[in-house]
Amino acid sequence: MEIEGEKMFEVDLGNLMAYDSHYTIPSQQSREELVKECLQKGTELVQAIADSLFTLPSTEDVDGPLVKLPPPTTKLPREKHMPRPRPPTKWEEFAKKKGIIKRKKDKVVFDEQSETWKRRHGYDHANDEEAIPIIEAKPTDDPDEDPFAKRRQDKKGRVDKQEKNRLQNLKNAAKFGDLPSHVQLAATSLPITGTQAVQKKVTKDELGNVAGIASTATASGGKFDKKLPGEKPPKHKGKFRKFPPVAPPAANGKVTGPSEREQTEKILNKILSKNNHDILNVNKAVTVHNVKKEKNRRSDKSKSSATDKKLKPQKKPFKKGGSAKKGNPKAQ
Amino acid sequence: MSEFRTATTRRGKLELQKRAPKLIESGKKTLVLHGTKSSAVLNSVLTQIYHLKKQSAVKYSRKNDNINPFEAGGETSLEFFSQKTDCSLFLYGSHSKKRPNNLVIGRTYDHHVYDLIEVGIENFRGMESFVYDKKLAPKEGSKPFMAFIGEGFESIIGLKHLKEVLLDLFRGEVVENLNLAGVDHAYVCTALSSTKVFFTHCALRLKKSGTVVPRMELVEVGPSMDMVIRRHRPPNESVRKEAMRTSKDKPKKKEKNVKKDPLQGKIGNVYIPDQKIGEMALPNKSKGVKRERREARQNHGNDEHASKKKKGDS
């Protein structure tokens, strides 16, 4: 920053800015006075900028004198990050290692077929494989193979390979955060601060499961549906509860699982065993007990103030008993 | 589906190229928007600042209910808008009982919120309330002068921050060459107290002074207002360091048609367009130059009389 004469203004000519760091506006005055004071001081500062601006060497132009401004001295933050150097592609790396130098190729090449000069690439280009009408057969050729189809196939393979390489190189560039400006990531171009990370891609298995569930939406539960190639049967059939047979195992010895009797016995043994305190969560039991007690106390209280309740309309006249007592003994 | 999306049209590609990070940036765009509630004062503040910066600003007119720049998660849609409009400065107006006429000025770096400062607007006078000679009215997009008055802009953190933000907001495009005839307006900011700043916009009247430097005169054209600093959030130190980076060397323009030769030194190719000598008019059309006469002389030797007759026949 420059310092202007005795008045000590800081002038940043690049931004056409001047700053007076010594003057303070006297307080306690009317609005008009204040504005007048500010404008007067502002005029001084603007004059200081003009003093250094109009004395710069200028070139005459049609519209007026042009002046070359010095770069701004006040540092302001950038809008975007600095452009990052592009990482080399796989070919560029290889070429560097091998010392291959890129040479310019002519745009036009001699075409053997028509004996004329044609462009190297694009429409009607020279030495086009696909434009050859006759391929001479060799004794080593496979008679079953169509040589034209093979050429087409080969070319397609090369084009596909190049596309694959291109995408791989772009992926690599994206990792470094330097895609060319006209290419963007398809999913999201920018993760925003407040949001979660980019949604995870649905895996093949998950997709299969969802498809399985969706297929059961028909009347037959998907039993008679046509299966797509590669489609898996639904993973979970939808049976959650098990009802073990009440009767003892059949004579043929076909046992599907433990009978009900066995199951209940198992549970009973656990409870009645010596170290049953392992199973019982004492803390939880105490809390449950306390809660129950509290509930009872409250219900007693409300009963005592029943006279007040009569005045109010009853909301649920046929309310069922407490939900705490619910349970299904058979399920276990 | 490919992971990458490429611009399909030339135009789209150009547009993206414009938005790509550059070595030397020329200016920031400003996004002007408001929250669910806004007051009449705030509306005019926003529109008038938008008019001052019309060449490089975008104004949103709808309510935005999910923007709270100072709260975590409240900047999400702000950052999205910033990316969508390619703006890195924003003005967000909101009006509430707790914070009446609230204006949040913020900047973004890489489309993430960089810093924020919140000011309350008081004593606002719009452009329409000033009377002045309309010839003086500043042109759109001309480079303004900035004047800051008061010790506080250096010593008090909030004011220092506000000064930087105001400079960034109003300085206009960063230019190398300036036309002196186009200098026509100035912003004057004065620190009244430790939290209050008087901001006004003036036109410049250039008067003859007898020297090269004209005498400057300020004519207030508005808007003018008092800004009372409320909350402010300075930038994260590491982000600040990153954002302040500048390139030392300028991007070189490719020099065309110039070669360097170790023996001959610098060699330049000069291409001259077709001269079209055949179509050129001769400077003087004397009698002897005319074609018929020349031909006649060749055919008939010295018999000029005959050639004249022939010409008359045809």
Side-chain angles (χ1 to χ4, degrees):
Chain A
M1 297 206 181
E2 284 174 41
I3 290 173
E4 275 292 308
E6 324 89 58
K7 283 176 181 169
M8 305 286 275
F9 297 149
E10 288 168 24
V11 177
D12 175 9
L13 212 51
N15 286 326
L16 298 181
M17 194 224 9
Y19 170 45
D20 183 358
S21 58
H22 299 281
Y23 188 75
T24 30
I25 294 284
S27 52
Q28 279 131 23
Q29 54 182 354
S30 72
R31 184 82 187 164
E32 284 99 63
E33 275 175 26
L34 188 119
V35 172
K36 216 175 145 192
E37 180 92 33
C38 288
L39 283 189
Q40 195 209 330
K41 199 71 203 159
T43 315
E44 271 178 43
L45 281 170
V46 168
Q47 190 67 50
I49 305 171
D51 280 345
S52 41
L53 182 68
F54 280 79
T55 45
L56 283 176
S58 67
T59 51
E60 208 57 41
D61 196 69
V62 200
D63 304 320
L66 280 185
V67 153
K68 201 160 187 260
L69 288 180
T73 49
T74 316
K75 289 269 182 294
L76 291 170
R78 295 177 66 84
E79 182 181 15
K80 282 159 196 158
H81 63 80
M82 297 265 275
R84 300 181 183 113
R86 189 174 57 86
T89 62
K90 219 159 190 189
W91 163 254
E92 279 166 351
E93 256 170 29
F94 176 75
K96 202 183 168 195
K97 208 170 79 186
K98 291 277 174 182
I100 300 167
I101 303 158
K102 197 176 176 181
R103 273 200 215 91
K104 270 206 169 165
K105 287 178 185 169
D106 286 339
K107 273 194 173 174
V108 205
V109 195
F110 189 73
D111 184 28
E112 311 263 324
Q113 192 81 33
S114 61
E115 299 193 330
T116 49
W117 289 85
K118 283 184 170 180
R119 58 175 82 84
R120 186 186 292 273
H121 302 288
Y123 175 72
D124 192 23
H125 64 196
N127 306 323
D128 188 1
E129 271 189 352
E130 285 173 19
I132 297 170
I134 299 161
I135 301 169
E136 268 181 45
K138 283 177 218 151
T140 52
D141 278 351
D142 182 10
D144 297 335
E145 203 176 51
D146 179 4
F148 293 100
K150 188 174 182 290
R151 281 193 170 179
R152 243 176 283 134
Q153 194 68 32
D154 285 354
K155 175 153 189 187
K156 195 169 176 297
R158 272 176 279 145
V159 169
D160 287 349
K161 187 171 172 246
Q162 172 54 30
E163 180 66 11
K164 211 187 94 203
N165 288 349
R166 188 183 76 91
L167 288 177
Q168 191 59 45
N169 282 327
L170 280 179
K171 243 185 211 171
N172 196 27
K175 221 189 279 168
F176 283 91
D178 187 74
L179 283 174
S181 67
H182 63 282
V183 180
Q184 286 181 335
L185 285 173
T188 47
S189 43
L190 171 95
I192 289 175
T193 310
T195 54
Q196 257 99 43
V198 185
Q199 267 198 346
K200 218 182 81 192
K201 218 173 162 188
V202 185
T203 61
K204 207 173 169 186
D205 269 3
E206 280 170 325
L207 211 64
N209 289 346
V210 174
I213 291 166
S215 72
T216 58
T218 52
S220 64
K223 197 174 179 185
F224 302 109
D225 284 2
K226 248 188 211 164
K227 288 273 182 285
L228 290 171
E231 190 183 327
K232 286 177 203 159
K235 220 177 193 177
H236 207 294
K237 285 278 169 57
K239 253 186 186 175
F240 290 92
R241 286 172 64 185
K242 267 184 202 164
F243 296 101
V246 185
N252 56 11
K254 212 179 179 186
V255 184
T256 47
S259 71
E260 195 191 4
R261 195 194 171 83
E262 278 173 31
Q263 256 187 3
T264 39
E265 259 178 8
K266 208 172 153 195
I267 294 166
L268 200 69
N269 283 341
K270 251 188 190 172
I271 295 167
L272 295 179
S273 64
K274 250 187 186 173
N275 41 3
N276 58 356
H277 53 86
D278 279 358
I279 318 154
L280 189 70
N281 189 343
V282 180
N283 279 340
K284 199 175 177 183
V286 168
T287 327
V288 167
H289 177 74
N290 283 346
V291 167
K292 229 177 220 172
K293 215 173 159 189
E294 180 73 10
K295 223 175 214 171
N296 280 338
R297 208 166 55 82
R298 243 182 240 163
S299 64
D300 284 351
K301 236 187 204 172
S302 60
K303 262 175 203 165
S304 64
S305 61
T307 46
D308 303 340
K309 226 175 188 181
K310 271 179 190 169
L311 296 172
K312 284 179 196 167
Q314 250 180 319
K315 268 178 196 164
K316 276 182 185 170
F318 301 112
K319 203 179 170 188
K320 277 179 187 170
S323 58
K325 289 227 168 178
K326 226 174 167 185
N328 47 353
K330 253 200 170 178
Q332 275 292 321
Chain B
M1 197 187 71
S2 168
E3 276 174 73
F4 298 99
R5 238 175 25 174
T6 320
T8 42
T9 59
R10 228 358 177 214
R11 195 174 210 181
K13 195 175 169 181
L14 261 173
E15 198 55 44
L16 288 173
Q17 243 164 35
K18 270 186 221 162
R19 292 175 174 218
K22 289 175 195 69
L23 204 57
I24 290 176
E25 292 168 344
S26 59
K28 293 176 175 183
K29 273 169 83 187
T30 311
L31 178 66
V32 181
L33 73 174
H34 59 82
T36 39
K37 260 183 81 183
S38 182
S39 61
V41 170
L42 208 55
N43 278 341
S44 45
V45 168
L46 289 177
T47 37
Q48 294 192 4
I49 292 179
Y50 169 67
H51 275 289
L52 292 177
K53 295 196 45 87
K54 201 160 189 180
Q55 289 202 327
S56 61
V58 178
K59 190 169 188 295
Y60 277 4
S61 56
R62 282 202 198 167
K63 286 176 187 175
N64 295 293
D65 55 352
N66 49 0
I67 296 181
N68 298 305
F70 279 95
E71 282 157 36
E75 72 273 54
T76 314
S77 55
L78 200 60
E79 283 172 359
F80 173 71
F81 291 147
S82 139
Q83 196 208 4
K84 200 169 165 95
T85 54
D86 193 29
C87 290
S88 57
L89 270 160
F90 63 86
L91 288 173
Y92 171 75
S94 65
H95 181 71
S96 65
K97 199 170 171 186
K98 192 176 177 188
R99 297 195 182 87
N101 298 329
N102 202 33
L103 182 71
V104 181
I105 311 171
R107 293 184 283 182
T108 63
Y109 172 68
D110 261 349
H111 303 303
H112 291 293
V113 171
Y114 173 76
D115 63 353
L116 295 166
I117 187 154
E118 189 176 57
V119 290
I121 304 295
E122 284 172 10
N123 298 326
F124 176 72
R125 271 185 79 193
M127 284 169 170
E128 61 288 334
S129 62
F130 290 92
V131 184
Y132 57 93
D133 184 11
K134 289 294 170 204
K135 273 184 210 161
L136 284 174
K139 306 266 184 310
E140 219 173 69
S142 63
K143 182 115 175 143
F145 283 4
M146 305 284 301
F148 290 92
I149 306 157
E151 199 188 350
F153 282 125
E154 213 168 46
S155 52
I156 298 157
I157 301 166
L159 283 178
K160 199 176 173 187
H161 191 184
L162 184 65
K163 180 188 167 213
E164 196 189 316
V165 172
L166 284 178
L167 180 65
D168 210 354
L169 180 63
F170 288 109
R171 68 167 173 168
E173 227 174 298
V174 180
V175 287
E176 212 168 57
N177 293 315
L178 183 76
N179 187 351
L180 290 181
V183 167
D184 61 356
H185 65 137
Y187 294 102
V188 180
C189 308
T190 319
L192 301 180
S193 67
S194 63
T195 55
K196 207 172 193 180
V197 171
F198 170 65
F199 170 88
T200 187
H201 178 216
C202 302
L204 287 177
R205 187 186 279 153
L206 278 68
K207 291 204 161 172
K208 275 172 194 162
S209 65
T211 58
V212 197
V213 185
R215 197 157 59 78
M216 295 289 175
E217 227 179 73
L218 294 184
V219 181
E220 227 183 341
V221 294
S224 86
M225 62 190 106
D226 282 358
M227 291 172 171
V228 182
I229 297 175
R230 283 174 182 156
R231 291 181 285 180
H232 77 106
R233 192 166 86 192
N236 187 338
E237 198 48 46
S238 61
V239 178
R240 206 186 81 88
K241 216 171 176 184
E242 173 87 25
M244 285 296 183
R245 277 170 65 188
T246 47
S247 66
K248 284 191 187 86
D249 40 20
K250 281 180 185 174
K252 263 186 201 161
K253 229 180 190 180
K254 199 183 166 191
E255 212 177 16
K256 278 183 173 176
N257 304 325
V258 176
K259 278 186 288 185
K260 291 259 166 61
D261 195 277
L263 284 180
Q264 291 162 301
K266 208 173 182 182
I267 301 169
N269 283 351
V270 180
Y271 295 98
I272 299 167
D274 188 10
Q275 305 265 303
K276 292 182 180 163
I277 299 166
E279 292 166 22
M280 212 147 68
L282 288 166
N284 57 337
K285 278 190 176 171
S286 58
K287 274 185 183 173
V289 187
K290 281 186 179 165
R291 214 177 87 208
E292 296 100 1
R293 281 173 191 271
R294 250 185 296 144
E295 279 169 3
R297 200 180 293 147
Q298 274 173 2
N299 291 342
H300 302 283
N302 287 336
D303 193 1
E304 264 181 55
H305 193 71
S307 72
K308 241 179 205 173
K309 216 177 191 178
K310 204 179 180 181
K311 199 186 173 191
D313 285 347
S314 60

